[in-house]
């Protein structure tokens, strides 16, 4: 029933002598919340960077929605429905919260010459802020937000374009426990609404609660794949985490 | 709130341009009009530079090349006759559009680099253009210079048309700057300036807006160069493609506040008169450049983002503090605390 939304095929990236990602292959099923875990430095962020076009892979390729992506480029992928957040939340600090959301919604060529923030833009931004209970922040410069609020804003912003697949790089790192619950709730709600997630996360309890399946990387290679329970008891995984 | 700001802005612009327009009519001294021509010229240049350097965050040091190209384009077109003297002004938009289009490949190549590398690449472009101006003697006359036919203007008001042409160009540059900041072009340019890679990742049409800013900025500067050539009447490569003009536009935008509507104008109205004053006090020697640099350094040390952003920052902080105090007072008197305040 469920189709493959993202297919990663033998992706490899070397930095000098370090092989950050090594012949890595995996799939993300449409409608899933897939986790990508692994010890520090195992290549998770590098894999994200290659998938989203921020880094050129040394070899291997990806398929998204069935199409081979010859030259992944962030803007093209974004328009096709693949978006991401960064490990260190990246927002535009000089812009207001509202503008951060509006710019991420995308625009046509005609709208490029139109109003900075149109009535329709305003409505959409307000709607998503209401969903995130951040209405009071609407007009603030994004620079004034707390770290956790920035992570929420970046997450809310990538949802503005109605993506099919969202890659989240450590959405709860450095965020207070209340905010972690909030983030988890939003991921679940959006997933129920049809958005697929691929999540890098170090909080194992959250991964066990939220994700299925789980992909495990160690030193750039995929060492395990399965349900949270299967992965948890996999000797290779235990060794990677304890040995690392 | 936003509408009020717009009305205040319109009044400010109206008063400013009305004052500029009536100066010659009131009959100020000749030196004043002459000074104003160059001040408004630099305000137009700096405002045009700001479309790229300020709004997009691409600090071009090569813009005087477009100024020079505009100047030569004008001089070559009108070396023989200028008719009644007014019609050549109507050719300026053609020059602006042509140079804007010509600048596209240059922008496309140079904007593959960023920040300091971009500055170096554009400065290289400046020197290439200057070298060409010296060496393409068949076209430019090389070091011999090129002349523009003199217009048959009444000697008593000879400077007026040039002055008003500069004012029109300044108004257009500011109008474009205002339009950019009110449209998605400006919003997109802000994201490019803040974090270009992230901008790509949220689907901003990065290359397109960068090229728009580059071409418009270059075309505007070329039109100013055309008026300058007409006014001066005789142009040489070292003056038409003078690195000091580039430095001027950049410094003025930095001083007043890059990325703002009025910053480049304010910077020009401070620096151009200051420069003239120092040039006269120090006579023919280039020592005045030292004094000029000193003024700039002092202001940048105390107001690193330029005058206008520093002031508006300070105002914003004061207003936020006042607002915070008011909210505290309210929270004390109110029994219930709202959820937002708990979160904050
Ligand atoms: N730009 C780079 N240049 C050189 N080496 C890099 C670069 N980016 C990552 N690396 C190296 O590649 C390896 C994988 O890094 P990566 O950031 O992908 O790991 P990660 O799994 O995301 O780790 P973490 O959990 O700490 O975020 C590490 O050894 C890292 O030092
Ligand atoms: Mg990482």
């Amino acid at each position: 029933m469920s189709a493959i939304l993202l297919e990663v095929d033998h992706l490899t990236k070397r930095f000098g002598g370090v092989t950050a990602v090594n012949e890595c292959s995996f799939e993300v099923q449409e409608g899933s919340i897939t986790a990508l875990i692994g010890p520090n430095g195992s290549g998770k962020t590098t894999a994200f960077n290659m998938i989203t076009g921020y880094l050129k892979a040394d070899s291997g390729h990806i398929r998204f929605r069935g199409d081979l992506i010859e030259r992944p480029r962030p803007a093209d992928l974004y328009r096709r429905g693949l978006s991401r957040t960064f490990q260190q939340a990246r927002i535009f600090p000089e812009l207001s919260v509202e503008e951060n959301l509006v710019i991420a919604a995308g625009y046509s060529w005609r709208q490029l010459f139109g109003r900075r923030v149109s009535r329709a833009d305003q409505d959409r931004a307000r709607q998503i802020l209401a969903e995130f209970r951040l209405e009071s922040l609407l007009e603030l410069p994004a620079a004034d937000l707390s770290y956790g609020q920035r992570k929420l804003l970046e997450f809310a912003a990538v949802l503005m374009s109605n993506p099919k697949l969202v890659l989240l790089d450590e959405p709860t790192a450095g965020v207070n426990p209340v905010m972690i619950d909030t983030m988890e709730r939003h991921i679940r709600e959006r997933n129920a609404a049809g958005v697929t997630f691929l999540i890098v996360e170090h909080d194992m309890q959250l991964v066990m609660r939220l994700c299925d399946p789980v992909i495990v990387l160690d030193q750039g290679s995929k060492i395990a794949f399965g349900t949270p329970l299967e992965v948890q008891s996999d000797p290779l995984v235990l060794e990677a985490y304890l040995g690392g | 709130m936003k509408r009020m700001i717009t009305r205040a802005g319109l009044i400010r612009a109206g008063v400013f341009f009305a004052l500029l327009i009536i100066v010659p009519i009131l009959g100020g001294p000749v030196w004043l009009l002459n000074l104003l021509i160059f001040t408004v010229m630099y305000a137009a240049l700096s405002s045009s530079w700001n479309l790229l350097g300020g709004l997009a965050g691409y600090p071009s040091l090569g813009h005087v090349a477009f100024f020079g190209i505009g100047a030569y384009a004008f001089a070559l077109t009108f070396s023989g006759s200028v008719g009644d003297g007014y019609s050549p002004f109507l050719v300026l938009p053609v020059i602006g559009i042509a140079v804007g289009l010509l600048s596209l490949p240059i922008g496309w190549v140079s904007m593959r680099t960023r920040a300091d590398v971009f500055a170096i690449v554009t400065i290289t472009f400046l020197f290439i253009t200057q070298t060409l101006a010296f060496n393409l003697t068949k076209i430019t006359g090389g070091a011999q210079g090129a002349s523009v036919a003199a217009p048959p203007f009444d000697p008593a008001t000879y400077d007026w048309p040039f002055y008003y042409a500069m004012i029109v160009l300044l108004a257009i540059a500011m109008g474009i700057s205002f339009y950019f900041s009110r449209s998605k072009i400006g919003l997109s340019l802000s994201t490019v300036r803040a974090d270009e890679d992230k901008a790509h990742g949220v689907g901003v049409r990065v290359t397109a807006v960068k090229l728009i800013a580059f071409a418009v900025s270059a075309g505007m500067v070329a039109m100013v160069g055309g008026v300058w050539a007409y006014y001066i009447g005789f142009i040489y490569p070292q003056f038409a493609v003078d690195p000091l003009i580039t430095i001027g536009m950049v410094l003025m935008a930095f001083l007043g506040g890059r990325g703002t509507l009025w910053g480049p104008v304010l910077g020009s109205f401070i620096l151009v008169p200051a420069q003239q004053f120092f040039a006269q006090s120090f006579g023919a020697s280039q020592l005045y450049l030292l004094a000029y640099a000193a003024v700039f350094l002092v202001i940048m040390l105390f107001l690193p983002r330029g005058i206008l952003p520093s002031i508006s920052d300070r105002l914003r902080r004061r207003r936020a503090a006042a607002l915070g105090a008011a909210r505290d007072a309210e929270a004390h008197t109110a029994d219930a605390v709202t959820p937002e305040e708990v979160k904050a």
Side-chain angles (χ1 to χ4, degrees):
Chain A
M1 163 213 111
S2 62
I4 295 169
L5 189 58
L6 175 73
E7 192 183 332
V8 173
D9 192 6
H10 292 90
L11 225 46
T12 298
K13 183 76 199 179
R14 288 179 210 87
F15 293 112
V18 183
T19 305
V21 174
N22 189 8
E23 299 278 324
C24 192
S25 302
F26 59 82
E27 288 160 1
V28 175
Q29 300 284 332
E30 188 159 2
S32 70
I33 303 180
T34 303
L36 180 64
I37 65 170
N40 287 117
S42 54
K44 306 178 296 290
T45 298
T46 306
F48 267 26
N49 286 342
M50 286 189 285
I51 294 168
T52 51
Y54 277 89
L55 257 183
K56 199 175 168 314
D58 292 335
S59 62
H61 59 256
I62 64 164
R63 277 173 190 279
F64 180 59
R65 300 173 83 169
D67 300 327
L68 178 68
I69 310 294
E70 297 272 6
R71 246 185 93 209
R73 291 201 313 202
D76 295 345
L77 287 167
Y78 191 80
R79 284 184 206 115
R80 280 175 185 240
L82 191 162
S83 58
R84 72 173 293 185
T85 63
F86 289 85
Q87 193 165 339
Q88 294 296 124
R90 272 162 90 168
I91 46 143
F92 302 110
E94 293 172 35
L95 300 183
S96 71
V97 168
E98 182 181 43
E99 288 169 336
N100 266 277
L101 294 169
V102 168
I103 193 69
Y107 47 78
S108 65
W109 286 111
R110 251 189 61 200
Q111 287 167 329
L112 174 61
F113 297 93
R115 295 180 65 112
R116 186 176 175 106
V117 176
S118 71
R119 208 16 87 67
D121 291 334
Q122 262 174 11
D123 291 344
R124 290 213 50 204
R126 264 170 229 270
Q127 194 184 330
I128 201 148
L129 279 177
E131 193 183 313
F132 277 78
R133 306 217 177 90
L134 295 173
E135 302 100 313
S136 58
L137 305 179
L138 184 79
E139 292 192 0
L140 278 191
D144 291 359
L145 300 188
S146 71
Y147 185 73
Q149 288 172 329
R150 285 175 191 224
K151 289 217 132 182
L152 275 184
L153 173 60
E154 190 185 29
F155 182 42
V158 298
L159 295 176
M160 288 291 284
S161 61
N162 296 321
K164 295 289 291 177
L165 172 64
V166 176
L167 275 55
L168 301 175
D169 198 345
E170 305 200 13
T172 69
V175 166
N176 71 48
V178 179
M179 204 75 99
I180 294 182
D181 289 343
T182 313
M183 191 68 89
E184 182 182 347
R185 197 183 70 239
H186 289 306
I187 295 172
R188 281 188 199 282
E189 280 173 12
R190 281 294 160 156
N191 182 243
V195 180
T196 306
F197 286 91
L198 176 62
I199 304 180
V200 166
E201 184 52 66
H202 279 296
D203 179 343
M204 282 310 137
Q205 284 173 347
L206 178 64
V207 170
M208 298 301 147
R209 279 201 306 272
L210 185 65
C211 305
D212 187 17
V214 177
I215 302 159
V216 189
L217 286 188
D218 185 33
Q219 299 186 11
S221 303
K222 186 175 85 174
I223 57 165
F225 174 84
T227 65
L229 274 178
E230 286 166 359
V231 164
Q232 224 170 0
S233 53
D234 189 313
L236 277 175
V237 175
L238 293 174
E239 197 195 303
Y241 271 92
L242 296 175
Chain B
M1 176 88 183
K2 271 178 189 152
R3 178 145 307 152
M4 266 165 56
I5 291 168
T6 309
R7 183 177 300 166
L10 267 178
I11 292 173
R12 194 180 313 144
V15 170
F16 172 73
F17 281 104
L19 284 176
L20 283 185
I21 288 167
I22 59 170
V23 169
I25 300 168
L26 293 182
V30 178
W31 66 262
L32 179 63
L33 189 56
N34 194 269
L35 175 64
L36 270 177
I37 290 180
F38 283 101
T39 308
V40 175
M41 176 181 104
Y42 269 105
L45 287 176
S46 188
S47 297
S48 307
W49 178 90
N50 189 47
L51 297 173
L52 179 70
L55 297 181
Y58 274 83
S60 166
L61 293 182
H63 259 47
V64 71
F66 299 117
F67 178 86
I69 293 170
Y72 274 105
F74 193 93
L76 298 179
T77 314
F78 297 106
S79 57
S81 153
V82 290
D84 62 355
Y86 293 101
S87 50
F89 288 115
L90 302 178
V91 174
L92 287 171
V94 180
I95 292 179
I97 290 168
V99 174
L101 291 176
L102 175 89
S103 78
L104 284 174
I106 295 161
W108 190 73
V109 171
S110 61
M111 286 191 295
R112 301 177 77 91
T113 65
R114 292 183 195 173
D116 42 356
V117 182
F118 174 76
I120 304 289
V121 170
T122 50
I123 230 175
T124 313
F125 169 63
L126 183 169
F127 286 111
I128 291 173
T129 309
Q130 199 187 56
T131 309
L132 287 177
F134 269 116
N135 291 298
L136 296 177
T137 43
K138 284 234 171 62
I139 305 172
T140 64
Q144 309 282 287
S147 62
V148 188
F153 294 151
D154 177 354
T157 58
Y158 184 85
D159 288 350
W160 291 29
F162 305 103
Y163 177 61
Y164 288 117
M166 291 296 187
I167 290 178
V168 169
L169 290 177
L170 172 61
I172 294 174
M174 290 179 72
I176 294 173
S177 178
F178 182 75
Y179 161 67
F180 274 9
S181 66
R182 289 303 167 106
S183 70
K184 288 223 163 44
I185 298 178
L187 186 58
S188 305
L189 289 174
S190 316
T191 67
V192 169
R193 181 180 56 200
D195 184 346
E196 188 170 334
D197 293 324
K198 171 72 184 181
H200 277 290
V202 292
V204 174
R205 300 189 187 270
V206 172
T207 311
V209 293
K210 273 162 51 176
L211 284 177
I212 290 173
F214 197 98
V216 172
S217 175
M220 284 301 307
V221 165
M223 290 200 275
V224 179
V227 176
W228 173 82
Y230 196 13
Y231 182 49
I232 298 286
F234 211 89
I235 57 176
Y236 297 97
Q238 65 270 40
F239 298 128
V241 193
D242 182 353
L244 275 179
I245 299 180
T246 264
I247 305 276
M249 357 180 172
V250 178
L251 288 193
M252 288 158 202
F254 266 71
L255 178 62
R258 57 195 184 282
T260 65
L261 178 61
W262 287 94
V265 179
L266 180 64
S268 312
F269 275 77
I270 296 173
L271 278 189
V272 178
Q275 188 182 11
Q276 293 283 325
F277 172 76
F278 290 132
Q280 261 162 27
S281 336
F282 289 98
S285 75
Q286 298 273 309
L287 271 178
Y288 77 88
L289 285 175
L290 290 181
Y292 180 50
V295 171
F296 180 75
L297 277 180
V298 167
I299 298 181
M300 289 320 281
L301 277 177
F302 291 103
L303 304 169
R305 292 174 51 216
I307 298 171
L308 290 182
S310 305
I311 293 175
S312 63
D313 262 10
R314 214 157 286 176
L315 282 180
R316 196 168 76 85
R317 232 174 290 137
R318 192 174 305 165
R319 210 174 299 147
L323 209 73
R327 205 184 279 157
D328 281 351
E330 224 169 81
H332 280 298
T333 50
D335 292 326
V337 182
T338 63
E340 281 92 33
E341 276 161 344
V342 174
K343 239 184 275 162

